[in-house]
Coordinates of all heavy atoms in Angstrom, one line a residue:
M1 N 2.6 -3.5 2.9 CA 1.2 -3.8 3.1 C 0.4 -2.6 3.1 O -0.7 -2.5 2.5 CB 1.1 -4.6 4.4 CG -0.4 -5.0 4.6 SD -0.4 -6.1 6.0 CE -2.0 -5.6 6.7
T2 N 0.9 -1.5 3.8 CA 0.2 -0.3 3.9 C 0.0 0.3 2.5 O -1.1 0.8 2.2 CB 0.9 0.7 4.8 OG1 1.1 0.1 6.1 CG2 0.1 2.0 4.9
A3 N 1.0 0.3 1.6 CA 0.8 0.9 0.3 C -0.2 0.1 -0.5 O -1.0 0.7 -1.2 CB 2.2 0.8 -0.4
S4 N -0.3 -1.2 -0.4 CA -1.3 -2.0 -1.1 C -2.7 -1.6 -0.6 O -3.6 -1.4 -1.3 CB -1.1 -3.5 -0.8 OG 0.1 -3.9 -1.3
L5 N -2.8 -1.5 0.7 CA -4.1 -1.1 1.3 C -4.5 0.3 0.8 O -5.7 0.5 0.5 CB -4.1 -1.2 2.9 CG -5.4 -0.8 3.6 CD1 -6.5 -1.8 3.2 CD2 -5.1 -0.9 5.0
L6 N -3.6 1.2 0.9 CA -3.9 2.6 0.4 C -4.3 2.6 -1.0 O -5.2 3.3 -1.4 CB -2.7 3.5 0.7 CG -2.4 3.8 2.1 CD1 -1.1 4.6 2.2 CD2 -3.5 4.5 2.8
G7 N -3.6 1.8 -1.9 CA -4.0 1.7 -3.3 C -5.4 1.2 -3.4 O -6.2 1.6 -4.3
E8 N -5.8 0.2 -2.6 CA -7.1 -0.4 -2.7 C -8.2 0.6 -2.3 O -9.4 0.4 -2.7 CB -7.2 -1.7 -1.9 CG -6.5 -2.9 -2.6 CD -7.1 -3.1 -4.0 OE1 -8.4 -3.2 -4.2 OE2 -6.3 -3.1 -5.0
L9 N -7.9 1.5 -1.4 CA -8.9 2.4 -0.9 C -9.5 3.2 -2.1 O -10.7 3.6 -2.1 CB -8.3 3.4 0.1 CG -7.9 2.8 1.5 CD1 -7.3 3.9 2.3 CD2 -9.2 2.2 2.1
R10 N -8.7 3.5 -3.1 CA -9.2 4.3 -4.2 C -10.1 3.4 -5.1 O -11.0 4.0 -5.8 CB -8.0 4.8 -5.1 CG -7.3 5.9 -4.4 CD -6.2 6.4 -5.3 NE -5.1 5.5 -5.0 CZ -3.9 5.5 -5.5 NH1 -3.6 6.4 -6.4 NH2 -3.0 4.6 -5.2
N11 N -9.9 2.1 -5.1 CA -10.7 1.2 -6.0 C -11.9 0.6 -5.4 O -12.7 0.0 -6.0 CB -9.7 0.2 -6.5 CG -8.5 0.7 -7.3 OD1 -8.7 1.7 -8.0 ND2 -7.4 0.1 -7.1
D12 N -11.9 0.6 -4.0 CA -13.0 -0.1 -3.3 C -13.7 0.8 -2.4 O -13.3 1.1 -1.3 CB -12.3 -1.2 -2.5 CG -13.4 -2.2 -1.9 OD1 -14.5 -1.8 -1.6 OD2 -13.0 -3.4 -1.6
P13 N -14.9 1.3 -2.9 CA -15.6 2.3 -2.0 C -16.0 1.7 -0.7 O -16.1 2.5 0.3 CB -16.9 2.5 -2.9 CG -16.6 2.1 -4.3 CD -15.5 1.1 -4.1
E14 N -16.3 0.4 -0.6 CA -16.7 -0.2 0.7 C -15.5 -0.2 1.7 O -15.6 0.2 2.8 CB -17.2 -1.6 0.4 CG -18.3 -2.0 1.3 CD -18.8 -3.4 0.9 OE1 -19.2 -3.6 -0.2 OE2 -18.8 -4.2 1.8
L15 N -14.3 -0.5 1.2 CA -13.1 -0.5 2.0 C -12.8 1.0 2.4 O -12.4 1.2 3.6 CB -11.9 -1.1 1.2 CG -10.6 -1.2 2.0 CD1 -10.7 -2.0 3.2 CD2 -9.5 -1.7 1.0
F16 N -12.9 1.9 1.5 CA -12.7 3.3 1.8 C -13.6 3.8 2.9 O -13.2 4.4 3.8 CB -12.9 4.2 0.6 CG -12.8 5.7 0.9 CD1 -11.6 6.3 1.0 CD2 -14.0 6.4 1.1 CE1 -11.5 7.6 1.4 CE2 -13.9 7.7 1.5 CZ -12.7 8.3 1.6
Q17 N -14.9 3.4 2.8 CA -15.9 3.8 3.8 C -15.5 3.2 5.2 O -15.6 3.9 6.2 CB -17.3 3.4 3.4 CG -18.4 3.9 4.3 CD -18.4 5.5 4.3 OE1 -18.2 6.2 3.4 NE2 -18.7 5.9 5.6
A18 N -15.2 2.0 5.2 CA -14.8 1.3 6.4 C -13.6 1.9 7.1 O -13.6 2.2 8.3 CB -14.6 -0.2 6.2
A19 N -12.5 2.2 6.3 CA -11.3 2.8 6.8 C -11.6 4.3 7.3 O -11.1 4.6 8.3 CB -10.3 2.8 5.7
N20 N -12.4 5.0 6.5 CA -12.7 6.3 6.9 C -13.5 6.4 8.2 O -13.2 7.2 9.1 CB -13.5 7.0 5.8 CG -13.6 8.5 6.0 OD1 -12.7 9.2 6.6 ND2 -14.7 9.1 5.7
T21 N -14.4 5.5 8.4 CA -15.3 5.4 9.5 C -14.5 5.0 10.8 O -14.6 5.7 11.8 CB -16.4 4.5 9.4 OG1 -17.2 4.9 8.3 CG2 -17.3 4.4 10.6
A22 N -13.6 4.1 10.6 CA -12.8 3.6 11.7 C -11.6 4.4 12.1 O -11.2 4.6 13.2 CB -12.4 2.1 11.4
I23 N -10.9 5.0 11.0 CA -9.7 5.6 11.3 C -9.7 7.1 11.0 O -9.2 7.9 11.8 CB -8.6 5.0 10.3 CG1 -8.4 3.5 10.6 CG2 -7.3 5.7 10.5 CD1 -7.6 2.8 9.6
G24 N -10.4 7.6 10.0 CA -10.3 8.9 9.6 C -11.2 9.9 10.3 O -10.8 11.0 10.8
R25 N -12.5 9.5 10.5 CA -13.4 10.4 11.2 C -13.3 10.7 12.6 O -13.4 11.8 13.0 CB -14.9 9.8 10.9 CG -15.4 10.1 9.5 CD -16.8 9.7 9.4 NE -17.2 9.4 8.1 CZ -18.1 8.7 7.7 NH1 -18.9 8.0 8.6 NH2 -18.4 8.4 6.4
P26 N -13.0 9.7 13.4 CA -12.9 10.0 14.9 C -12.0 11.1 15.3 O -12.4 12.0 16.1 CB -12.5 8.6 15.5 CG -13.0 7.6 14.5 CD -12.8 8.2 13.2
P27 N -10.7 11.1 14.9 CA -9.9 12.3 15.3 C -10.3 13.6 14.7 O -10.3 14.6 15.5 CB -8.5 11.9 14.8 CG -8.6 10.8 13.8 CD -10.0 10.2 14.1
V28 N -10.8 13.6 13.5 CA -11.3 14.9 12.9 C -12.6 15.3 13.7 O -12.7 16.5 14.1 CB -11.6 14.7 11.5 CG1 -12.3 15.9 10.9 CG2 -10.4 14.4 10.7
R29 N -13.5 14.4 14.0 CA -14.7 14.7 14.8 C -14.3 15.3 16.1 O -14.9 16.3 16.6 CB -15.6 13.5 14.9 CG -16.9 13.7 14.2 CD -17.9 12.6 14.7 NE -17.3 11.3 14.9 CZ -17.5 10.2 14.1 NH1 -18.3 10.3 13.1 NH2 -16.9 9.1 14.4
A30 N -13.4 14.7 16.8 CA -12.9 15.2 18.1 C -12.4 16.6 18.0 O -12.7 17.5 18.9 CB -11.9 14.3 18.7
L31 N -11.5 16.9 17.0 CA -11.0 18.2 16.9 C -12.1 19.2 16.5 O -12.1 20.4 16.9 CB -9.9 18.2 15.9 CG -8.5 17.7 16.4 CD1 -7.6 17.5 15.2 CD2 -7.9 18.6 17.4
V32 N -13.0 18.8 15.7 CA -14.1 19.7 15.3 C -14.9 20.2 16.6 O -15.2 21.3 16.8 CB -15.1 19.1 14.3 CG1 -16.4 19.8 14.2 CG2 -14.4 18.9 12.9
E33 N -15.1 19.2 17.5 CA -15.8 19.5 18.7 C -15.0 20.5 19.6 O -15.6 21.4 20.1 CB -16.2 18.2 19.5 CG -17.2 17.4 18.8 CD -17.5 16.1 19.6 OE1 -17.2 16.0 20.8 OE2 -17.9 15.1 19.0
V34 N -13.7 20.2 19.7 CA -12.9 21.1 20.5 C -12.9 22.5 19.9 O -13.0 23.5 20.6 CB -11.5 20.6 20.6 CG1 -10.5 21.6 21.1 CG2 -11.4 19.3 21.4
I35 N -12.7 22.6 18.6 CA -12.7 24.0 17.9 C -14.0 24.7 18.1 O -14.0 25.9 18.4 CB -12.3 23.8 16.4 CG1 -10.8 23.4 16.3 CG2 -12.5 25.2 15.7 CD1 -10.4 22.9 14.9
H36 N -15.1 24.0 18.0 CA -16.5 24.6 18.2 C -16.6 25.1 19.6 O -17.1 26.2 19.9 CB -17.6 23.6 17.9 CG -17.8 23.6 16.4 ND1 -18.3 24.7 15.7 CD2 -17.8 22.6 15.5 CE1 -18.5 24.3 14.4 NE2 -18.1 23.1 14.3
R37 N -16.0 24.4 20.6 CA -16.1 24.9 22.0 C -15.3 26.1 22.1 O -15.7 27.0 22.8 CB -15.6 23.8 22.9 CG -16.7 22.8 23.3 CD -16.2 21.8 24.4 NE -15.9 20.6 23.6 CZ -15.1 19.7 24.0 NH1 -14.3 19.8 25.0 NH2 -14.9 18.6 23.2
W38 N -14.1 26.1 21.5 CA -13.3 27.4 21.5 C -14.0 28.5 20.9 O -13.9 29.7 21.4 CB -12.0 27.1 20.8 CG -11.0 26.2 21.5 CD1 -11.0 25.8 22.8 CD2 -9.9 25.5 20.9 NE1 -10.0 25.0 23.1 CE2 -9.3 24.7 21.9 CE3 -9.4 25.5 19.6 CZ2 -8.2 24.0 21.7 CZ3 -8.3 24.7 19.4 CH2 -7.7 24.0 20.4
I39 N -14.8 28.3 19.8 CA -15.5 29.3 19.1 C -16.6 29.8 20.1 O -16.8 31.1 20.3 CB -16.1 28.9 17.8 CG1 -15.0 28.6 16.8 CG2 -17.2 29.8 17.4 CD1 -15.5 27.9 15.5
Q40 N -17.3 28.9 20.8 CA -18.4 29.3 21.7 C -17.9 30.1 22.9 O -18.5 31.0 23.4 CB -19.1 28.1 22.2 CG -19.9 27.4 21.2 CD -20.4 26.0 21.6 OE1 -20.0 25.4 22.6 NE2 -21.4 25.4 20.9
R41 N -16.6 29.8 23.3 CA -16.1 30.6 24.4 C -15.4 31.9 24.0 O -14.9 32.6 24.8 CB -15.0 29.7 25.1 CG -15.6 28.6 25.9 CD -14.6 28.0 26.9 NE -13.4 27.5 26.3 CZ -12.9 26.3 26.2 NH1 -13.6 25.3 26.7 NH2 -11.7 26.0 25.7
G42 N -15.4 32.1 22.6 CA -14.8 33.3 22.1 C -13.3 33.3 22.0 O -12.7 34.3 21.7
E43 N -12.7 32.2 22.1 CA -11.3 32.0 22.0 C -10.8 31.9 20.5 O -9.6 32.1 20.3 CB -10.8 30.8 22.8 CG -11.1 30.8 24.2 CD -10.8 29.6 25.0 OE1 -10.1 28.7 24.4 OE2 -11.3 29.4 26.1
V44 N -11.7 31.6 19.7 CA -11.4 31.4 18.3 C -12.5 32.1 17.4 O -13.6 32.1 17.8 CB -11.4 29.9 17.9 CG1 -11.3 29.7 16.4 CG2 -10.2 29.2 18.6
P45 N -12.1 32.9 16.4 CA -13.1 33.6 15.6 C -14.1 32.6 15.0 O -13.8 31.4 14.7 CB -12.3 34.3 14.5 CG -10.9 34.1 14.8 CD -10.8 33.0 15.9
D46 N -15.4 33.1 14.8 CA -16.4 32.1 14.3 C -16.4 32.0 12.8 O -17.1 31.2 12.3 CB -17.8 32.6 14.7 CG -18.1 34.0 14.3 OD1 -17.3 34.6 13.5 OD2 -19.3 34.4 14.6
D47 N -15.4 32.6 12.1 CA -15.3 32.4 10.7 C -14.2 31.5 10.2 O -13.9 31.4 9.0 CB -15.1 33.8 10.0 CG -13.8 34.5 10.4 OD1 -13.2 34.1 11.3 OD2 -13.5 35.4 9.6
V48 N -13.6 30.8 11.2 CA -12.6 29.8 10.8 C -13.2 28.6 10.1 O -14.3 28.3 10.2 CB -11.7 29.3 12.0 CG1 -11.0 30.5 12.7 CG2 -12.5 28.5 12.9
R49 N -12.4 28.0 9.2 CA -12.8 26.9 8.4 C -12.5 25.6 9.3 O -11.5 25.0 9.2 CB -12.1 26.8 7.1 CG -12.4 28.1 6.3 CD -12.1 28.1 4.9 NE -12.5 26.9 4.2 CZ -11.9 26.5 3.1 NH1 -10.9 27.1 2.6 NH2 -12.3 25.3 2.5
V50 N -13.5 25.3 10.1 CA -13.4 24.3 11.2 C -13.0 22.9 10.6 O -12.0 22.3 11.0 CB -14.6 24.2 12.0 CG1 -14.5 23.0 13.0 CG2 -14.9 25.5 12.7
E51 N -13.7 22.4 9.6 CA -13.5 21.1 9.1 C -12.1 21.0 8.5 O -11.4 20.0 8.6 CB -14.5 20.7 8.0 CG -15.9 20.6 8.6 CD -16.1 19.3 9.4 OE1 -15.4 18.3 9.2 OE2 -17.0 19.3 10.3
L52 N -11.7 22.0 7.7 CA -10.4 22.0 7.1 C -9.3 22.0 8.1 O -8.4 21.2 8.1 CB -10.2 23.3 6.2 CG -8.9 23.5 5.6 CD1 -8.6 22.4 4.5 CD2 -8.8 24.9 4.9
I53 N -9.4 22.9 9.1 CA -8.4 23.0 10.1 C -8.3 21.7 11.0 O -7.2 21.2 11.3 CB -8.6 24.2 11.0 CG1 -8.4 25.5 10.1 CG2 -7.7 24.3 12.2 CD1 -8.8 26.8 10.7
A54 N -9.5 21.1 11.3 CA -9.5 20.0 12.1 C -8.9 18.8 11.4 O -8.5 17.8 12.1 CB -11.0 19.6 12.5
G55 N -8.8 18.8 10.2 CA -8.2 17.7 9.4 C -6.6 17.7 9.4 O -5.9 16.8 9.0
I56 N -6.0 18.9 9.8 CA -4.6 19.0 9.7 C -3.8 18.0 10.5 O -2.9 17.3 10.0 CB -4.2 20.4 10.0 CG1 -4.7 21.4 9.0 CG2 -2.7 20.6 10.1 CD1 -4.6 22.9 9.4
I57 N -4.1 17.9 11.8 CA -3.3 17.1 12.7 C -3.5 15.6 12.3 O -2.5 14.9 12.2 CB -3.7 17.3 14.2 CG1 -3.5 18.8 14.5 CG2 -2.9 16.4 15.1 CD1 -2.0 19.3 14.4
P58 N -4.7 15.1 12.1 CA -4.9 13.7 11.7 C -4.2 13.4 10.4 O -3.6 12.3 10.2 CB -6.4 13.5 11.6 CG -6.9 14.5 12.5 CD -6.1 15.7 12.4
T59 N -4.2 14.3 9.4 CA -3.5 14.1 8.2 C -2.1 14.0 8.3 O -1.4 13.2 7.8 CB -3.9 15.2 7.2 OG1 -5.3 15.2 7.0 CG2 -3.2 15.1 5.8
A60 N -1.5 14.9 9.2 CA 0.0 14.8 9.5 C 0.3 13.5 10.2 O 1.3 12.9 9.9 CB 0.3 16.0 10.3
A61 N -0.5 13.1 11.1 CA -0.2 11.8 11.8 C -0.3 10.6 10.8 O 0.6 9.8 10.8 CB -1.3 11.6 12.9
F62 N -1.3 10.6 9.9 CA -1.4 9.6 9.0 C -0.2 9.6 8.0 O 0.4 8.5 7.7 CB -2.7 9.7 8.2 CG -2.9 8.7 7.2 CD1 -3.4 7.4 7.6 CD2 -2.7 8.9 5.8 CE1 -3.6 6.4 6.7 CE2 -2.9 7.9 4.9 CZ -3.4 6.6 5.3
G63 N 0.2 10.7 7.6 CA 1.3 10.8 6.7 C 2.6 10.3 7.4 O 3.5 9.7 6.8
S64 N 2.8 10.7 8.6 CA 4.0 10.3 9.4 C 4.0 8.8 9.5 O 5.1 8.2 9.2 CB 4.0 10.9 10.8 OG 5.1 10.6 11.5
V65 N 2.9 8.2 9.8 CA 2.8 6.7 10.0 C 3.0 6.0 8.6 O 3.8 5.1 8.5 CB 1.5 6.3 10.6 CG1 1.3 4.8 10.6 CG2 1.5 6.8 12.1
T66 N 2.4 6.4 7.6 CA 2.4 5.8 6.3 C 3.6 6.1 5.5 O 4.1 5.2 4.8 CB 1.1 6.0 5.5 OG1 1.0 7.4 5.3 CG2 -0.1 5.5 6.2
L67 N 4.0 7.3 5.5 CA 5.1 7.7 4.6 C 6.5 7.6 5.3 O 7.5 7.2 4.6 CB 4.9 9.1 4.1 CG 3.6 9.3 3.2 CD1 3.4 10.8 2.9 CD2 3.6 8.4 2.0
R68 N 6.5 8.0 6.5 CA 7.8 8.0 7.2 C 8.0 6.8 8.1 O 9.0 6.6 8.8 CB 8.0 9.3 8.0 CG 8.0 10.5 7.0 CD 8.3 11.8 7.7 NE 7.9 11.8 9.1 CZ 7.8 12.9 9.8 NH1 8.1 14.1 9.3 NH2 7.5 12.9 11.1
Q69 N 6.9 6.0 8.3 CA 6.9 4.8 9.1 C 7.2 5.1 10.6 O 8.0 4.3 11.2 CB 7.7 3.7 8.5 CG 7.2 3.3 7.1 CD 8.1 2.2 6.5 OE1 9.2 2.0 6.9 NE2 7.5 1.5 5.6
R70 N 6.7 6.1 11.1 CA 6.9 6.4 12.5 C 5.7 7.3 13.0 O 5.2 8.1 12.3 CB 8.2 7.1 12.8 CG 8.3 8.5 12.2 CD 9.7 9.1 12.5 NE 9.6 10.5 12.2 CZ 10.7 11.2 11.8 NH1 11.8 10.6 11.8 NH2 10.6 12.5 11.5
A71 N 5.4 7.0 14.2 CA 4.3 7.7 14.9 C 4.7 9.1 15.2 O 5.9 9.4 15.4 CB 3.8 7.0 16.1
L72 N 3.7 10.0 15.3 CA 4.0 11.3 15.8 C 4.3 11.2 17.3 O 3.5 10.7 18.1 CB 2.8 12.3 15.6 CG 2.6 12.7 14.2 CD1 1.4 13.7 14.1 CD2 3.8 13.5 13.6
D73 N 5.4 11.8 17.7 CA 5.7 11.8 19.2 C 5.1 13.1 19.7 O 4.7 14.0 19.0 CB 7.2 11.6 19.4 CG 8.1 12.7 18.8 OD1 7.5 13.8 18.4 OD2 9.3 12.5 18.7
A74 N 5.2 13.2 21.1 CA 4.6 14.3 21.8 C 5.3 15.6 21.3 O 4.5 16.7 21.1 CB 4.8 14.2 23.3
A75 N 6.5 15.7 21.0 CA 7.2 16.9 20.5 C 6.7 17.3 19.1 O 6.4 18.5 18.9 CB 8.7 16.7 20.5
A76 N 6.5 16.3 18.3 CA 5.9 16.6 16.9 C 4.5 17.1 17.0 O 4.2 18.1 16.3 CB 6.0 15.4 16.0
V77 N 3.7 16.6 17.8 CA 2.3 17.0 18.0 C 2.3 18.4 18.6 O 1.6 19.3 18.1 CB 1.5 16.0 18.9 CG1 0.1 16.6 19.2 CG2 1.4 14.7 18.2
T78 N 3.1 18.7 19.6 CA 3.2 20.0 20.1 C 3.6 21.1 19.0 O 3.1 22.1 19.0 CB 4.2 20.0 21.3 OG1 3.8 19.1 22.3 CG2 4.4 21.4 21.9
E79 N 4.6 20.7 18.2 CA 5.1 21.6 17.2 C 3.9 21.8 16.1 O 3.7 22.9 15.7 CB 6.3 21.0 16.5 CG 7.0 22.0 15.6 CD 8.3 21.5 15.2 OE1 8.8 20.4 15.6 OE2 8.9 22.1 14.3
L80 N 3.2 20.8 15.8 CA 2.1 21.0 14.9 C 1.0 21.9 15.5 O 0.5 22.8 14.8 CB 1.4 19.6 14.5 CG 2.1 18.8 13.4 CD1 1.5 17.4 13.4 CD2 1.8 19.5 12.1
V81 N 0.7 21.7 16.7 CA -0.3 22.5 17.4 C 0.1 23.9 17.5 O -0.6 24.9 17.1 CB -0.7 21.9 18.8 CG1 -1.5 22.9 19.5 CG2 -1.4 20.6 18.6
D82 N 1.4 24.1 17.9 CA 1.9 25.5 18.2 C 2.1 26.3 16.9 O 1.9 27.5 16.9 CB 3.2 25.4 19.0 CG 2.9 25.0 20.4 OD1 1.8 25.0 20.9 OD2 3.9 24.8 21.1
H83 N 2.6 25.6 15.8 CA 3.1 26.3 14.6 C 2.1 26.2 13.4 O 2.3 26.9 12.4 CB 4.4 25.8 14.2 CG 5.4 26.1 15.3 ND1 5.9 27.4 15.6 CD2 6.0 25.3 16.2 CE1 6.7 27.4 16.6 NE2 6.8 26.1 17.0
V84 N 1.1 25.3 13.5 CA 0.2 25.1 12.4 C -1.3 25.3 12.9 O -2.0 26.2 12.4 CB 0.3 23.7 11.8 CG1 -0.7 23.6 10.6 CG2 1.8 23.5 11.2
L85 N -1.7 24.5 13.8 CA -3.1 24.6 14.3 C -3.5 25.9 14.9 O -4.4 26.6 14.5 CB -3.4 23.4 15.2 CG -4.9 23.3 15.7 CD1 -5.8 23.0 14.5 CD2 -5.0 22.2 16.8
L86 N -2.7 26.3 15.9 CA -3.1 27.6 16.6 C -3.0 28.8 15.7 O -3.9 29.6 15.7 CB -2.3 27.7 17.9 CG -2.6 26.7 19.0 CD1 -1.7 26.9 20.2 CD2 -4.1 26.8 19.4
P87 N -1.9 28.9 14.9 CA -1.9 30.1 14.0 C -3.1 30.1 13.0 O -3.6 31.2 12.6 CB -0.6 29.9 13.2 CG 0.3 29.2 14.2 CD -0.6 28.2 14.9
A88 N -3.5 28.9 12.6 CA -4.6 28.8 11.6 C -6.0 29.2 12.3 O -6.9 29.7 11.6 CB -4.8 27.4 11.1
L89 N -6.0 29.2 13.6 CA -7.2 29.5 14.4 C -7.2 31.0 14.8 O -8.3 31.5 15.3 CB -7.4 28.6 15.6 CG -7.7 27.2 15.2 CD1 -7.6 26.3 16.5 CD2 -9.0 27.0 14.5
R90 N -6.1 31.7 14.7 CA -6.0 33.1 15.2 C -6.8 34.0 14.2 O -6.9 33.7 13.0 CB -4.6 33.5 15.3 CG -3.9 32.8 16.4 CD -2.6 33.5 16.7 NE -1.9 32.7 17.7 CZ -0.7 32.1 17.5 NH1 -0.1 32.2 16.4 NH2 -0.2 31.4 18.5
P91 N -7.3 35.1 14.8 CA -8.0 36.1 13.9 C -7.0 36.6 12.9 O -5.8 36.8 13.2 CB -8.4 37.2 14.9 CG -8.3 36.6 16.2 CD -7.3 35.5 16.2
R92 N -7.5 36.8 11.7 CA -6.7 37.4 10.7 C -6.8 38.9 10.7 O -7.8 39.5 10.8 CB -7.2 36.9 9.3 CG -6.9 35.4 9.1 CD -7.8 34.9 8.0 NE -8.4 33.6 8.0 CZ -8.7 32.8 9.0 NH1 -8.6 33.2 10.2 NH2 -9.2 31.6 8.8
S93 N -5.6 39.5 10.5 CA -5.6 40.9 10.5 C -5.9 41.4 9.1 O -5.5 40.8 8.1 CB -4.3 41.5 10.9 OG -3.3 41.1 10.1
V94 N -6.7 42.5 9.0 CA -7.0 43.1 7.7 C -5.9 44.1 7.3 O -5.7 45.0 8.1 CB -8.4 43.7 7.8 CG1 -8.8 44.3 6.4 CG2 -9.5 42.7 8.2
A95 N -5.4 43.9 6.2 CA -4.3 44.8 5.8 C -4.9 46.1 5.0 O -5.9 46.1 4.5 CB -3.3 44.1 4.8

């Protein structure tokens, strides 16, 4: 069923919009807000690509649910945050 629905998202702009509004945007928006707060506090450089980085965790969760048919557990989320999200937010050194 999920595969059918995903296939239809490409063909039905209204269905895509509804799915994106209900499922896609809320977690990304929440992470965008958190990252902006970190930037304001000086914990994250102000030149990070906030929208791109904020989409990483929700995309991984969606992929886990749809492709591997399992939810991300706490250990997987911690690993994503520690090894993907936080390194992406660290200042880059100039070589």
